[in-house]
Amino acid sequence: MGAKGRIVVAQEFPSKGDIYHQLLKNNPHALTATSPHTIQGCVVHEGEFGKQGSVIFWNYTHDGKEKVAKEVIESVDDEKKLISFRIIEGDVLEEYKDFLLTFHVESRDGKDLVTWTFDYETLNDDVGPPFSLAELVFGEIVDVEKAQP
């Protein structure tokens, strides 16, 4: 039997979190330019970017290996700057029974905080929390910030 857990990764985004929200919602394939070392491809299989129910396919590098993920957009809330993605196929599901990623931007004290939450359930007790995936996403936040003029 596996374990359920949650990891939260947050990074202050001085260039305004709206930029990251809009990028992730409407133009996630641009991450191939800001983070080419981790993201090699992002295409829509069904629907369109930023729309609930759409299916997106990713090619990425994780722990030095080329991997893939197919995810469905479960929710989009522009007011809260929130997007949730559930992984439905791909390498992540070799270790996790369920994997939900939720992205949102919080404004606190005049600063934007870009936050990713990973809700997961492992396939068995031998699988640990997805810390290295959290590091990958944290790196993408930093890469997007560096790319801003």
Side-chain angles (χ1 to χ4, degrees):
M1 175 171 244
K4 292 184 179 186
R6 173 178 278 183
I7 295 175
V8 179
V9 177
Q11 171 69 23
E12 186 178 310
F13 201 85
S15 295
K16 301 213 185 274
D18 287 346
I19 292 169
Y20 196 80
H21 173 71
Q22 290 303 320
L23 174 77
L24 194 62
K25 179 183 172 199
N26 299 316
N27 199 17
H29 52 284
L31 290 171
T32 61
T34 59
S35 301
H37 51 285
T38 53
I39 306 296
Q40 288 78 47
C42 175
V43 295
V44 173
H45 274 209
E46 297 174 28
E48 60 185 272
F49 288 128
K51 300 292 181 188
Q52 186 173 347
S54 296
V55 176
I56 301 172
F57 186 82
W58 295 86
N59 294 87
Y60 64 101
T61 301
H62 174 239
D63 290 339
K65 298 177 185 170
E66 292 183 13
K67 298 189 177 186
V68 297
K70 185 185 276 189
E71 59 190 22
V72 63
I73 299 174
E74 287 204 343
S75 63
V76 178
D77 185 330
D78 286 330
E79 188 175 311
K80 293 181 181 178
K81 299 175 198 153
L82 181 142
I83 306 170
S84 291
F85 307 91
R86 183 169 307 278
I87 296 181
I88 56 173
E89 289 181 23
D91 294 290
V92 169
L93 296 183
E94 291 177 5
E95 296 184 304
Y96 298 94
K97 180 179 178 179
D98 190 34
F99 208 93
L100 177 71
L101 299 102
T102 302
F103 160 81
H104 75 281
V105 178
E106 297 176 50
S107 294
R108 292 184 185 169
D109 302 323
K111 297 178 183 177
D112 286 340
L113 193 64
V114 174
T115 304
W116 277 96
T117 302
F118 297 74
D119 290 294
Y120 62 91
E121 181 177 356
T122 62
L123 285 174
N124 58 59
D125 292 334
D126 295 333
V127 176
F131 293 127
S132 62
L133 286 170
E135 288 178 29
L136 183 143
V137 170
F138 178 80
E140 288 174 18
I141 297 169
V142 172
D143 289 345
V144 169
E145 174 61 26
K146 287 180 184 176
Q148 297 308 305

